[in-house]
């Protein structure tokens, strides 16, 4: 943007605008994903309907795999400022960004596998059906919808929509200025709003979830944008590094018309509004109200993707904001974040105890986990970053696996998510109930699972950072959370199955692979965490 | 006129928008209030751009407009689809899911 400033200074008489230098090769993970998304749109336009599914699924998987290879290659190239600050310093492909992008891409691969599942729903119009509405625009229960179901339509648009969301999520933790961060936020949020509305069963709930998510999400991003505007007024730039310089007093940039007291108002209000926008996305209390409704109403494969990948991307951006732009202001934001972390852990854990629906239970559990991750964010050192990175990687695969298991337990009306219908599941299907129990134990943080390693890492970082009371609250709310996870396990294994209760559907290889990956990662990060802890530790340095 | 007054106007518009989202019941009106908040941000950005003498703020305002347009596309699609289902755009009617 400095070129523009020069242009303004010269009064518009300059003959040409120098083209910005864009490092396409270093930005390739995002470009590959966006390219695959655009190709997916073209497939929707030009490929006959009956071939679309088998075109979209390989295309999405290939795009994600290609982007993951690009991330690995970039990570192997080593570190240097000119390799990390890209596109006029608006994107930082540094250690945390590459680590989180790798996690998001692997999560997205698993999520696309659960999207592609077509054996669970009964056939519609003689063709296999997936978890998504036959035609999103058709009114539920109307003639148009019946016709669409008879014709065996499926909404294959979910694949390009997901790819756009993944592209935005890749950019979000790498965004090095507030404008890029805002655009990335919208790029991954808008497709998610649409995906929420596309459930095949219980379409009213699904549409209601989409409306709630959209209205509250756009409300939160308006806060983020106003915060951006105020910080631009304070620092004269939206680059995180420039803002940090002005905060620490290395550069003076507040305009003369605004006195010094006013500039403090700009800074603190701006930071507060930005934090509201980001804390909404990570579902921290008091900005969590949307989470249970949206998680319950959205199609379950989408819920799994959203619960895992959004959290990874949003915590990446939150880390970068606090660690790159505002370390000099830690005396101001840390007490507030302490309060938010404590509230989030306690409210998430306590409200989860009262839930009767599996998806809502997992939603409240995700709120509690956001609180645990926030304790690592508050540490404000490299150990804090590496512990948060590790926790996010561990948590996202457990979440995906748990929601994939939820898609398997079904009765005649679709998924049976009420907890009472899960009673005795361990007797009907010991394997599925055992896998779900493993995920619940990982959520609870029982040793030998990834959840334990992650929780230990964030609490250790928080304690080392001087936040011992926070760790005490964290351990206590973990104990409350363990109660309701264990309650579900007891319900599954030690109570009698209801007559006429749900059955466990046999999935195709897609969902089986997704659950298998979840189990492998959960056990792998629990039994042999050392390699991944070192990887997270090596990746924990921000570039600025 | 002192350009700082435009900042007060922006803050006022933002507050009206935020209060509107909290107290109004019609999804379309809620959505318009969100748009008002985005436009208040634009006004603040342009004013700061003038105060700083750089063009960054004006460029960001263009980005905001594009984002707002994309948001309208997605938002109206969702609101229209739920309106056709329920024949009501009141957010109070969206109460199938309770705690």
């Amino acid at each position: 943007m400095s070129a523009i400033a020069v242009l303004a200074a010269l009064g518009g008489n300059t003959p040409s605008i120098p083209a910005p230098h864009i490092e396409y090769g270093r930005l390739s993970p995002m470009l590959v994903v966006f390219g695959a998304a655009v190709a997916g749109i073209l497939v929707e336009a030009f490929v006959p309907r009956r071939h679309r599914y088998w075109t979209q699924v390989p295309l999405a998987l290939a795009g994600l795999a290609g982007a993951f290879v690009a991330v690995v290659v970039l990570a192997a190239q080593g570190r240097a400022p000119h390799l990390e600050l890209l596109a006029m310093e608006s994107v930082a492909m540094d250690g945390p960004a590459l680590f989180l992008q790798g996690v998001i891409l692997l999560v997205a691969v698993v999520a696309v596998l659960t999207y592609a599942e077509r054996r669970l729903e009964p056939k519609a119009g003689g063709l296999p059906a997936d978890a998504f509405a036959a035609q999103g625009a058709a009114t539920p229960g109307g003639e148009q919808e019946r016709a669409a179901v008879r014709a065996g339509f499926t909404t294959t648009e979910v694949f390009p929509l997901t790819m756009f969301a993944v592209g935005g999520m890749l950019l979000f933790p790498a965004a090095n200025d507030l404008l890029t961060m805002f655009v990335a936020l919208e790029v991954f949020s808008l497709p998610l709003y649409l995906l929420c509305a596309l459930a095949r069963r219980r379409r009213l709930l699904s549409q209601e979830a989409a409306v709630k998510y959209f209205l509250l999400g756009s409300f939160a991003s308006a806060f983020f944008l106003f915060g951006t505007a105020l910080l631009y007024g304070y620092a004269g730039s939206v680059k995180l590094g420039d803002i940090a310089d002005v905060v620490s007093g290395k550069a003076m940039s507040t305009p003369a018309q605004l006195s010094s007291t006013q500039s403090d108002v700009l800074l603190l209000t701006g930071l507060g509004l930005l934090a509201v926008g980001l804390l909404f996305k990570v579902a921290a209390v008091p900005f969590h109200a949307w989470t249970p409704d949206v998680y319950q109403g959205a199609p379950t494969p989408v819920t799994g993707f959203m619960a895992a990948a959004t959290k990874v991307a949003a915590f990446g951006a939150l880390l970068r904001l606090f660690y790159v732009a505002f370390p000099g202001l830690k005396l101001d934001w840390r007490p507030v974040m302490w309060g938010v972390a404590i509230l989030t852990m306690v409210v998430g854990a306590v409200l989860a105890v009262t839930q009767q629906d599996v998806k809502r239970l997992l939603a409240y559990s995700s709120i509690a986990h956001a609180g645990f991750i926030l304790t690592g964010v508050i540490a404000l050192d490299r150990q804090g970053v590496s512990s948060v990175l590790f926790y996010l990687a561990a948590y996202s695969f457990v979440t995906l696996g748990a929601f994939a298991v939820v898609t398997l337990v079904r009765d005649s009306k679709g998924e049976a998510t009420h907890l009472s219908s899960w009673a005795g599941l361990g007797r009907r299907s010991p394997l599925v109930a055992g896998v779900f129990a493993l995920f619940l134990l990982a959520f609870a943080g029982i040793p030998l699972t990834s959840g334990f390693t992650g929780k230990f890492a964030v609490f250790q970082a928080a304690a080392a950072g001087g936040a011992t009371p926070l760790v005490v609250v964290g351990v206590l709310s973990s104990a409350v959370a363990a109660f309701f996870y264990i309650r579900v396990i007891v319900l599954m294994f030690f109570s009698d199955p209801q007559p006429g209760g749900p059955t466990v559907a046999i999935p195709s290889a897609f969902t089986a692979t997704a659950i298998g990956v979840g189990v492998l990662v959960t056990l792998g990060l629990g039994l042999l965490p050392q390699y991944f802890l070192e990887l997270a530790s090596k990746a924990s340095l921000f570039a600025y | 006129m002192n350009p700082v007054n435009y900042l007060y106007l922006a803050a006022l518009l933002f507050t009206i928008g935020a209060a509107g989202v909290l107290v109004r019941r019609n999804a379309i009106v809620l959505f318009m209030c969100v748009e008002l908040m985005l436009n208040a941000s634009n006004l603040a950005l342009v004013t700061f751009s003038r105060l700083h003498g750089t063009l960054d703020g004006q460029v960001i305002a263009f980005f905001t407009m594009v984002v707002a347009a994309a948001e309208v596309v997605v938002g109206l699609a969702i609101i229209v689809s739920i309106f056709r289902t329920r024949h009501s755009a009141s957010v109070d009617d969206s109460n199938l899911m309770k705690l």
Side-chain angles (χ1 to χ4, degrees):
Chain A
M1 296 252 176
S2 58
I4 297 166
V6 170
L7 193 66
L10 294 176
N13 288 329
T14 32
S16 67
I17 303 175
H21 181 59
I22 308 283
E23 298 84 346
Y24 293 101
R26 307 273 317 166
L27 296 170
S28 53
M30 285 162 274
L31 296 178
V32 168
V33 169
F34 282 127
V38 173
I41 298 284
L42 293 177
V43 167
E44 287 300 318
F46 294 111
V47 173
R49 200 180 278 275
R50 63 183 182 282
H51 298 308
R52 279 185 207 160
Y53 171 83
W54 284 113
T55 320
Q56 292 284 17
V57 176
L59 178 66
L61 290 175
L64 294 169
F68 185 73
V69 170
V71 165
V72 172
V73 170
L74 290 179
Q77 278 180 359
R79 323 172 47 88
H82 73 278
L83 288 177
E84 295 190 329
L85 293 179
L86 311 171
M88 315 273 290
E89 294 185 27
S90 63
V91 178
M93 297 285 273
D94 48 9
L98 285 171
F99 185 93
L100 293 177
Q101 289 182 343
V103 172
I104 291 168
L105 286 166
L106 291 179
V107 163
V109 168
V110 178
V112 165
L113 291 178
T114 61
Y115 280 31
E117 174 62 55
R118 296 206 294 180
R119 196 182 283 179
L120 300 175
E121 288 284 341
K123 287 192 172 187
L127 293 168
D130 54 18
F132 300 99
Q135 196 170 28
T139 312
E143 181 50 42
Q144 196 189 353
E145 183 182 53
R146 280 196 291 278
V149 170
R150 269 198 307 275
F153 288 179
T154 53
T155 310
T156 42
E157 288 93 340
V158 292
F159 296 102
L161 281 173
T162 304
M163 294 299 279
F164 278 119
V166 171
M169 286 169 180
L170 295 183
L171 183 57
F172 200 43
N176 200 35
D177 67 41
L178 294 174
L179 173 62
T180 312
M181 213 179 254
F182 174 69
V183 172
L185 175 76
E186 293 292 332
V187 168
F188 83 75
S189 295
L190 294 179
L192 283 180
Y193 302 147
L194 290 173
L195 285 169
C196 281
L198 288 174
R200 177 175 287 266
R201 308 288 191 116
R202 299 190 181 94
R203 288 195 60 200
L204 289 185
L205 282 190
S206 173
Q207 291 185 342
E208 184 176 317
V211 167
K212 285 179 177 171
Y213 193 20
F214 168 73
L215 287 174
L216 292 174
S218 53
F219 189 45
S221 46
F223 277 93
F224 186 93
L225 185 69
F226 202 70
T228 303
L230 294 185
L231 285 172
Y232 170 66
Y234 169 75
S237 165
V238 286
K239 281 184 189 147
L240 298 184
D242 292 353
I243 295 174
D245 283 347
V246 179
V247 168
S248 63
K250 269 189 234 161
M252 261 306 286
S253 188
T254 311
Q257 287 97 323
L258 300 169
S259 66
S260 62
T261 49
Q262 276 175 325
S263 77
D264 272 358
V265 171
L266 288 183
L267 173 62
L268 294 176
T269 322
L271 173 57
L273 292 174
L274 283 188
V276 169
L278 289 176
L279 290 174
F280 175 88
K281 282 292 160 199
V282 303
V285 179
F287 312 107
H288 68 292
W290 58 278
T291 319
D293 285 0
V294 173
Y295 280 23
Q296 186 189 1
T300 307
V302 173
T303 311
F305 170 64
M306 192 161 66
T310 310
K311 202 148 271 188
V312 176
F315 266 109
L318 196 68
L319 277 178
R320 186 175 298 279
L321 189 73
F322 283 139
Y323 282 63
V324 176
F326 298 106
L329 213 60
K330 64 179 179 195
L331 292 178
D332 292 293
W333 62 256
R334 263 178 136 181
V336 180
M337 295 306 287
W338 267 57
V340 170
I342 289 174
L343 266 180
T344 307
M345 290 186 285
V346 172
V347 169
V350 169
L351 285 183
V353 175
T354 66
Q355 296 308 312
Q356 293 301 320
D357 184 284
V358 177
K359 284 169 87 176
R360 290 181 84 84
L361 181 98
L362 291 176
Y364 279 104
S365 124
S366 90
I367 295 172
H369 282 277
F372 299 139
I373 304 174
L374 277 175
T375 60
V377 174
I378 290 170
L380 201 60
D381 53 17
R382 278 191 72 170
Q383 200 188 351
V385 180
S386 68
S387 67
V388 169
L389 295 183
F390 183 85
Y391 199 118
L392 288 171
Y395 169 78
S396 54
F397 283 96
V398 182
T399 308
L400 269 177
F403 278 107
V405 173
V406 171
T407 62
L408 299 184
V409 182
R410 309 177 76 86
D411 57 19
S412 59
K413 283 179 284 187
E415 287 157 12
T417 55
H418 199 273
L419 263 185
S420 63
S421 55
W422 284 54
L425 200 70
R427 309 214 180 150
R428 285 173 203 257
S429 174
L431 179 65
V432 168
V435 168
F436 197 65
L438 171 70
F439 291 140
L440 290 175
L441 291 176
F443 278 134
I446 304 296
L448 303 185
T449 61
S450 60
F452 173 76
T453 326
K455 238 176 223 172
F456 187 78
V458 288
F459 287 162
Q460 197 184 24
T468 315
L470 212 53
V471 176
V472 174
V473 176
V475 171
L476 288 178
S477 36
S478 295
V480 175
F483 164 74
F484 63 78
Y485 295 128
I486 306 286
R487 193 185 61 161
V488 176
I489 295 176
V490 169
L491 185 76
M492 285 194 301
F493 285 98
F494 299 107
S495 55
D496 293 322
Q498 283 179 329
T503 52
V504 175
I506 308 294
S508 68
F510 287 126
T511 304
T513 313
I515 296 175
V517 170
V519 171
L520 273 183
V521 174
T522 306
L523 290 176
L525 294 188
L527 297 172
L528 303 163
Q530 204 51 44
Y531 172 75
F532 296 97
L533 281 171
E534 274 168 22
L535 194 67
S537 171
K538 261 188 268 176
S540 63
L541 203 60
F542 284 103
Y544 51 90
Chain B
M1 188 169 136
N2 185 357
V4 176
N5 288 335
Y6 288 102
L7 295 179
Y8 294 125
L9 178 62
L12 185 68
L13 288 176
F14 185 81
T15 315
I16 292 173
V21 173
L22 295 175
V23 302
R24 294 302 295 268
R25 287 288 165 262
N26 187 301
I28 299 280
V29 178
L30 252 71
F31 187 37
M32 282 161 58
C33 290
V34 170
E35 295 291 313
L36 185 63
M37 293 165 76
L38 293 181
N39 283 323
S41 311
N42 275 349
L43 181 59
L45 282 166
V46 171
T47 312
F48 283 128
S49 181
R50 160 93 187 197
L51 287 174
H52 283 295
T54 58
L55 287 183
D56 293 13
Q58 299 188 25
V59 174
I60 298 172
F62 277 120
F63 275 89
T64 311
M65 286 178 208
V66 176
V67 166
E71 216 170 68
V72 169
V73 173
V74 168
L76 284 187
I78 292 172
I79 294 173
V80 166
S81 73
I82 199 166
F83 178 78
R84 290 207 304 198
T85 309
R86 294 167 189 263
H87 304 289
S88 150
S90 166
V91 287
D92 279 351
D93 292 344
S94 296
N95 57 5
L96 290 174
M97 289 177 284
K98 285 263 175 74
L99 195 64

